[in-house]
Structures are given as C-alpha cells and as structure tokens.
C-alpha cells in the first residue's frame, strides 16, 4: 500500500511538472514576484465538495471546536497553537534551504531547538529573545521556483488549495522529520487539523453569516492570502535602500 501511494505521489508531482512547463510557454514572467491567478476548471466539483465540507463541519467539527473554545482558557489555546506551530519549524527550515534563505533556515532550527527544550513548543520563548517566526512552506517554495499554481481545488475536509500547494502538502507528509518519527502520527495529524480549524473559527463564522457566494468568497480570500505571502517575502528580501542625510 505504501509503495502504491508513493507511485501515485510520483505521478502527481510529474503531472505538476508538465503542467507548469506547459504554462511557462504561454506566460512571460516580467516581474520578480509571480502572483497566482485563479484558474478554476473544476468549479462544479469544487462547489459540491465545499458543500460537503460545510456539512461535515456543521455536524461533527464545529461543535467540538466551539466546546473546546468555551472550556479552554485563552493561555491554553495559545499554548496549543504554539505547540503545533513549533512542530512545523523543521519543514520551514527545509523550505528555506530550498529557497536559498540559509539564515532564515538557521533561525527556524534555532527556534525549534529553543522552544522544544524549554516548553515542548507551548511557549514561544524564541520570539521573546528576537528570533522572529518566518512563515513558509513547500507550496511557496515551488511558487518561488517558478511553478504556476495550477487549477483551484477544494480538498475534502481540508478545504481550499491548488495543484501546486496540494503537491507541496503531500511532499511534506513524507519529508517531515517530526511526524514521521513520532508514535500515533494519526492523532498528531488530527490534532494539528483541529488546531488549524480553531485558528480560523471566527473567519468561518463570518463566511457563514455573509449573504454572498461562499464559494467565490473563499476562493478569492485563499488566493489573496497566498499572493500576500509571496509579496511579503519578496519585499522583505529587497535590498535596504541607503539614505544619505546632508
């Protein structure tokens, strides 16, 4: 079964490479930042999956999240969020290496070491001493490598994505040194997913209350968020201008 899944993964990533190559022949890149454009050829299927996701969220996930937020003090919520965020630092470090951002990679390794040794990641001591968290992932790494986003995809249970980001997430499952070397990996993944759902609970409630098309709203917000992450990282890496004062 594992060998079969690896074959499927290889074919998936191979299709991603061919898709990117085809698009690169049609699109000229004139800027240093390649922004995602919304390409949505699977809209009918995506809409059906989104409806399914909201149904599952209504009957199973949302009640658990609301109960957790009601009984858990805010410091507990922050500690749990820090814990799962800390587990992603090795992946961030690997992603920064692939991006050529070696200092940021060392920062991620340092953050993971400090926070893990002091509180198992529940308290972000590293940020307190000046080691700021830098967000990235393999999807953004592929974007900076020139890969186009591919078609927009709504993944069952998980939510909005695209071919490139989904490919990055699948690869992370195989190369993540934390989740691949801990017992009860399934429970860790479930906990991470529930924590991610907690972090966007207010936003999802706002989407439910809006009368506009949920599908179009979520799709637009997803791409705006990914594009802003690319833009923010690009701006941060621009050379610092020299200011001369007479």
């Amino acid at each position: 079964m594992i060998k079969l899944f690896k074959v499927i993964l290889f074919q998936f990533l191979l299709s991603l490479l061919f898709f990117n190559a085809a698009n690169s022949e049609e699109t000229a890149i004139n800027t240093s930042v390649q922004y995602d454009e919304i390409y949505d050829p699977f809209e009918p299927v995506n809409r059906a999956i989104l409806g399914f996701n909201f149904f599952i969220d209504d009957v199973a996930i949302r009640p658990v999240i609301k109960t957790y937020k009601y009984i858990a003090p805010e410091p507990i919520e922050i500690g749990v969020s820090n814990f799962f965020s800390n587990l992603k630092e090795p992946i961030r470090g690997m992603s920064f290496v692939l991006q050529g951002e070696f200092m940021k990679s060392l920062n991620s390794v340092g953050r993971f070491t400090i926070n893990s040794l002091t509180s198992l990641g529940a308290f972000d001591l590293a940020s307190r001493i000046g080691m700021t968290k830098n967000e990235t992932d393999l999807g953004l790494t592929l974007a900076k490598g020139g890969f186009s986003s591919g078609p927009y995809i709504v993944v069952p249970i998980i939510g909005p994505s695209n071919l490139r980001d989904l490919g990055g997430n699948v690869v992370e499952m195989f190369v993540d040194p934390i989740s691949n070397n801990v017992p009860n990996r399934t429970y860790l993944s479930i906990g991470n997913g529930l924590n991610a759902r907690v972090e966007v609970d207010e936003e999802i409630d706002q989407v439910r209350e809006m009368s506009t098309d949920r599908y179009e709203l979520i799709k637009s917000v997803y791409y705006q968020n990914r594009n802003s992450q690319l833009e923010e990282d690009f701006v941060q890496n621009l050379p610092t201008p020299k200011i001369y004062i007479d």
Side-chain angles (χ1 to χ4, degrees), residues 36-103:
D36 289 339
E37 295 182 359
I38 301 179
Y39 173 50
D40 189 8
F42 308 124
E43 181 174 343
V45 176
N46 286 336
R47 284 184 177 272
I49 296 176
L50 180 65
F52 169 78
N53 286 352
F54 268 103
F55 171 75
I56 295 298
D57 190 75
D58 286 336
V59 301
I61 300 176
R62 190 166 184 250
V64 174
I65 298 302
K66 294 300 183 183
T67 302
Y68 167 74
K69 293 186 67 176
Y70 179 75
I71 64 176
E74 184 176 355
I76 298 296
E77 288 188 35
I78 295 174
V80 171
S81 179
N82 287 340
F83 171 78
F84 284 106
S85 178
N86 186 60
L87 295 182
K88 297 177 183 178
E89 288 291 2
I91 283 292
R92 295 187 188 107
M94 296 171 64
S95 298
F96 282 128
V97 168
L98 295 175
Q99 296 169 24
E101 299 285 349
F102 300 111
M103 294 304 297

Side-chain angles (χ1 to χ4, degrees), residues 50-234:
L50 180 65
F52 169 78
N53 286 352
F54 268 103
F55 171 75
I56 295 298
D57 190 75
D58 286 336
V59 301
I61 300 176
R62 190 166 184 250
V64 174
I65 298 302
K66 294 300 183 183
T67 302
Y68 167 74
K69 293 186 67 176
Y70 179 75
I71 64 176
E74 184 176 355
I76 298 296
E77 288 188 35
I78 295 174
V80 171
S81 179
N82 287 340
F83 171 78
F84 284 106
S85 178
N86 186 60
L87 295 182
K88 297 177 183 178
E89 288 291 2
I91 283 292
R92 295 187 188 107
M94 296 171 64
S95 298
F96 282 128
V97 168
L98 295 175
Q99 296 169 24
E101 299 285 349
F102 300 111
M103 294 304 297
K104 288 185 178 180
S105 177
L106 290 175
N107 181 74
S108 294
V109 173
R111 283 179 50 83
F112 178 75
T113 302
I114 292 172
N115 289 339
S116 298
L117 291 178
T118 56
S119 63
L120 295 179
F123 180 71
D124 190 3
L125 177 62
S127 292
R128 296 296 183 93
I129 62 175
M131 301 177 69
T132 306
K133 179 173 67 174
N134 298 306
E135 290 287 359
T136 194
D137 53 55
L138 288 181
L140 292 176
T141 301
L142 291 173
K144 294 173 186 177
F147 286 85
S148 59
S149 62
Y152 176 68
I153 301 171
V154 180
V155 184
I157 307 299
I158 296 176
S161 186
N162 57 51
L163 186 63
R164 182 189 63 212
D165 291 343
L166 181 60
N169 291 337
V170 173
V171 172
E172 286 183 3
M173 292 174 55
F174 284 93
V175 302
D176 189 347
I178 301 299
S179 60
N180 287 325
N181 291 281
V182 297
N184 301 322
R185 175 180 178 178
T186 301
Y187 296 111
L188 185 66
S189 299
I190 293 174
N192 183 45
L194 289 176
N195 176 70
R197 172 61 177 80
V198 169
E199 293 180 344
V200 296
D201 184 57
E202 294 183 4
E203 288 79 3
I204 292 180
D205 284 345
Q206 292 175 1
V207 170
R208 292 176 186 276
E209 295 172 358
M210 291 181 179
S211 60
T212 55
D213 187 344
R214 288 181 181 178
Y215 179 80
E216 291 295 336
L217 177 62
I218 292 174
K219 179 172 65 175
S220 177
V221 169
Y222 177 77
Y223 273 84
Q224 288 179 29
N225 179 59
R226 295 301 278 178
N227 287 337
S228 67
Q229 288 176 313
L230 284 171
E231 181 179 8
E232 180 181 3
D233 192 80
F234 173 70

